[in-house]
Amino acid sequence: MRRISLRNGNGNGIPFVSFFAGSAITVRTCSSCHYSNKSIPLKDKIGVNSSNLDDAVTLFHQMVTMKPLPSVVNFSKLFKNMIKLGIPIDGFILTSVINSYCLMHYSADCAFSVLPIYLTNGIPFNVVTFTTLIRGLFSENKVKDAVELFKKLVREDICEPNDFMYATVMNGLSKRGHTKKTLGLLRLMEQGNTQPDIYIYNIVIDALCKDGNLDAAINILHEMKQKDIPPNIVTYNSIIDGLCKLGQWEKVKTLFSEMVNLTMYPDVHTFNILTDGLCKEGKVEDAEEVMKHMVRKGVEPDIITYNAIMDGYCLHGQVDRARRIFKIMIDKGIEPNIISYTILINGYCKKKKVDEAMQLFCEISQKGSKPDVVTYNTILQGLFKVGRIGHAKKILC
């Protein structure tokens, strides 16, 4: 891959050139992003044969949906031809190319390699461009590079981060366990021109809850209320989930009451959090009561609800009760998924009822599904446990 110099005609670097020079991120042409079409070569499509505006625009839309995407070289050729035809190349078009590279999970180099096209056409970079690049870096787990790019934008006033850019950085950090940095960005945002909204606060609260730091999460909830930012169902679901995992059921009841007082009734996700938490504590019958309460309130249980209760019964050796839930689920018109089958197979194997487990295992294929690696491991362990080595070998093959 060949590095492209990001400098304009008079040799002066644009504001963020020094960042690319001093960082692990470089802007390159991406040789890994190629496209080959033997019936109609792409190079012929983007050449002088594109004789009218409609053809060029149509080709652009085709190119951004190709898998894999064409190289940036091909995009550059198309853009030159579009300019000759009088079609203006703007930031929207280029950002859509960058976005396509990021969504297709190519190397971030492919997305960054579009930047020279901005320079050669005199198109200014904007917050959408950089937000898309940051998201692409996070998708490749290049957390340090994403954070460095964000810091550079803020420090050198290259562009003013908006709420969506903050949300992208904070979401990327929180999902990778960087809760302190996520909280730090919230505090930075509160001091700037762009004030956090409910979506930003929900990211921080969810990160704190997943870290088990419920006190800090509840403090953030109180801060929101003081700023007249009303919490929504997502806010409460995150905190309820954290409380359930810690077994703090009294606080869960308090939050439920608070939700009802705000005329915010729990949704299926809220109930699933409750049923899963109760099942993991061995309170499976209580979880069933919650499911019945859902139905009375007009909230239909889904596959996650049934799987949680089945798993709860199986964990406590009550596989017959789990099978009853399995049947109720089917009677309700909900098709079991591979997780449903694996839960029951595991329950039967633990009770050494391998014939029942094998019956379910065969049923998976009959229903048009495929066992996953967990299902195979479960049935193999069950067969080995009862000494049916030959049968286990056949399944392994």
Side-chain angles (χ1 to χ4, degrees), residues 356-377:
E356 288 89 339
M358 281 300 302
Q359 182 185 4
L360 281 169
F361 183 78
C362 294
E363 189 177 308
I364 295 172
S365 298
Q366 292 168 6
K367 295 286 184 180
S369 299
K370 292 178 73 175
D372 62 13
V373 67
V374 179
T375 318
Y376 276 112
N377 287 344

Side-chain angles (χ1 to χ4, degrees), residues 165-218:
M165 179 181 280
Y166 272 107
T168 301
V169 177
M170 293 165 75
N171 197 44
L173 288 170
S174 66
K175 289 190 181 308
R176 288 156 185 85
H178 300 286
T179 305
K180 287 184 179 179
K181 289 181 180 178
T182 306
L183 182 58
L185 268 181
L186 173 67
R187 299 311 182 200
L188 177 68
M189 193 176 182
E190 288 171 336
Q191 296 169 12
N193 298 325
T194 306
Q195 290 300 301
D197 58 11
I198 181 63
Y199 181 68
I200 296 289
Y201 279 110
N202 282 344
I203 291 172
V204 178
I205 287 173
D206 188 62
L208 290 167
C209 290
K210 283 183 167 57
D211 264 6
N213 195 347
L214 269 297
D215 290 338
I218 292 170

Side-chain angles (χ1 to χ4, degrees), residues 115-350:
L115 295 183
I117 301 174
Y118 281 82
L119 300 179
T120 55
N121 291 281
I123 299 168
F125 301 104
N126 58 36
V127 68
V128 179
T129 308
F130 287 113
T131 301
T132 306
L133 289 169
I134 288 170
R135 189 175 70 241
L137 289 169
F138 273 119
S139 70
E140 290 186 39
N141 285 318
K142 294 180 178 178
V143 178
K144 185 178 178 181
D145 288 344
V147 172
E148 283 301 314
L149 176 54
F150 177 76
K151 285 181 178 178
K152 187 75 175 178
L153 298 174
V154 175
R155 188 168 55 241
E156 300 195 6
D157 199 24
I158 295 167
C159 75
E160 177 75 23
N162 60 10
D163 54 350
F164 188 66
M165 179 181 280
Y166 272 107
T168 301
V169 177
M170 293 165 75
N171 197 44
L173 288 170
S174 66
K175 289 190 181 308
R176 288 156 185 85
H178 300 286
T179 305
K180 287 184 179 179
K181 289 181 180 178
T182 306
L183 182 58
L185 268 181
L186 173 67
R187 299 311 182 200
L188 177 68
M189 193 176 182
E190 288 171 336
Q191 296 169 12
N193 298 325
T194 306
Q195 290 300 301
D197 58 11
I198 181 63
Y199 181 68
I200 296 289
Y201 279 110
N202 282 344
I203 291 172
V204 178
I205 287 173
D206 188 62
L208 290 167
C209 290
K210 283 183 167 57
D211 264 6
N213 195 347
L214 269 297
D215 290 338
I218 292 170
N219 286 338
I220 297 287
L221 177 63
H222 293 323
E223 285 180 26
M224 288 171 57
K225 293 175 182 176
Q226 290 169 3
K227 294 178 179 179
D228 291 326
I229 301 173
N232 59 17
I233 191 72
V234 177
T235 320
Y236 282 104
N237 283 347
S238 293
I239 298 176
I240 288 170
D241 185 46
L243 292 171
C244 286
K245 284 181 168 65
L246 295 176
Q248 297 183 11
W249 298 104
E250 288 303 316
K251 289 185 178 180
V252 170
K253 289 178 184 177
T254 301
L255 277 182
F256 257 83
S257 300
E258 193 175 303
M259 289 172 67
V260 173
N261 290 336
L262 292 169
T263 63
M264 189 187 304
Y265 201 75
D267 61 9
V268 66
H269 183 53
T270 319
F271 283 117
N272 285 344
I273 290 167
L274 277 179
T275 54
D276 186 62
L278 289 166
C279 288
K280 282 183 168 57
E281 284 206 1
K283 300 175 181 178
V284 193
E285 291 178 355
D286 289 343
E288 268 209 77
E289 286 302 315
V290 170
M291 185 169 71
K292 291 173 184 175
H293 180 74
M294 287 173 67
V295 176
R296 287 195 297 269
K297 293 296 182 180
V299 181
E300 283 300 316
D302 60 12
I303 186 77
I304 297 171
T305 321
Y306 288 107
N307 283 348
I309 294 175
M310 284 166 52
D311 192 43
Y313 277 128
C314 286
L315 286 172
H316 293 85
Q318 297 175 299
V319 68
D320 292 337
R321 286 193 173 189
R323 188 63 181 261
R324 174 177 60 81
I325 298 295
F326 185 79
K327 185 178 182 303
I328 291 171
M329 178 174 67
I330 294 172
D331 291 342
K332 291 279 187 179
I334 298 175
E335 193 71 26
N337 59 17
I338 193 63
I339 297 172
S340 316
Y341 280 106
T342 304
I343 287 168
L344 269 185
I345 289 169
N346 186 48
Y348 278 124
C349 287
K350 283 185 174 178

Side-chain angles (χ1 to χ4, degrees), residues 18-32:
S18 58
F19 167 72
F20 291 105
S23 166
I25 303 173
T26 54
V27 181
R28 305 169 185 268
T29 56
C30 186
S31 59
S32 63

